Every structure is written in structure tokens, then in C-alpha cells.
């Protein structure tokens, strides 16, 4: 899990350095926000939180405990990559207004 957080911060660092080099804060919150939304969306898909209740029950019955644990693990990784990007994109966006 620590590696996924480091990966998320690494993506954030690359975007931040690019924005600093080009002297445009819009680059930072745009691309950091996109990375954050993509990884958070993937996590939502993996957990099944974006489907209705009957689909969740059907998916639960068809999957094994091992499959659910693997999806939860990957969803956690995706959240840890996406959350720092979304958080700092929001901070930079609202501080530049």
C-alpha cells in the first residue's frame, strides 16, 4: 500500500514540476485532477459502488471471497494513488481563485 501512495505522490510531483517549469497553475490542477478522478473512478468500479443494489447482490453471489479480496486490494491501491492528486488539485484550484 505504501508503494501506491508513493506512486500517487510521484505522479503529483511530475505534474507539479511541469506546472512550475511552465509557470501555469492551471496545468497542475487540471492534470492532477484528471489523474485523481481516473483512479478514484477505477476504485469505484472495482468496489461496485456505482451500480444498483440488485447488481451488487448478484456480483456478490457470483464472486468468491478471493476475488472480492483482490478487488478490494486494487481499489485501495487506486484510492491511495488518486486521493493525493484530487486533494492537492482542489487546494491549488481554490487557492488560485
Amino acid at each position: 500500500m505504501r508503494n501506491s501512495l508513493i506512486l500517487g505522490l510521484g505522479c503529483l510531483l511530475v505534474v507539479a514540476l511541469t506546472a512550475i517549469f511552465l509557470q501555469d497553475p492551471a496545468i497542475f490542477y487540471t492534470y492532477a485532477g484528471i489523474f485523481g478522478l481516473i483512479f478514484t473512478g477505477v476504485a469505484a468500479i472495482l468496489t461496485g459502488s456505482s451500480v444498483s443494489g440488485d447488481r451488487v447482490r448478484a456480483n456478490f453471489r457470483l464472486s468468491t471471497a478471493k476475488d472480492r479480496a483482490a478487488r478490494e486490494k486494487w481499489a485501495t491501491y487506486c484510492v491511495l494513488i488518486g486521493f493525493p492528486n484530487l486533494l492537492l488539485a482542489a487546494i491549488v484550484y481554490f487557492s488560485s481563485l
Side-chain angles (χ1 to χ4, degrees):
M1 284 212 246
R2 186 181 62 175
N3 291 338
S4 59
L5 185 61
I6 291 171
L7 179 64
L9 292 174
C11 290
L12 190 62
L13 180 67
V14 168
V15 170
L17 290 175
T18 304
I20 290 170
F21 180 71
L22 297 175
Q23 297 177 351
D24 187 11
I27 291 173
F28 182 79
Y29 60 77
T30 301
Y31 288 106
I34 288 171
F35 283 141
L37 287 175
I38 287 172
F39 282 107
T40 305
V42 169
I45 290 170
L46 287 173
T47 59
S49 62
S50 57
V51 296
S52 63
D54 61 335
R55 300 231 183 226
V56 171
R57 285 189 297 276
N59 291 338
F60 185 80
R61 287 198 61 197
L62 292 176
S63 64
T64 64
K66 185 178 176 182
D67 291 336
R68 287 189 296 273
R71 280 196 314 267
E72 270 184 33
K73 182 176 95 172
W74 281 104
T76 303
Y77 291 158
C78 288
V79 165
L80 288 175
I81 292 171
F83 182 70
N85 286 297
L86 276 178
L87 180 68
L88 289 176
I91 290 171
V92 170
Y93 178 75
F94 288 117
S95 68
S96 67
L97 289 179

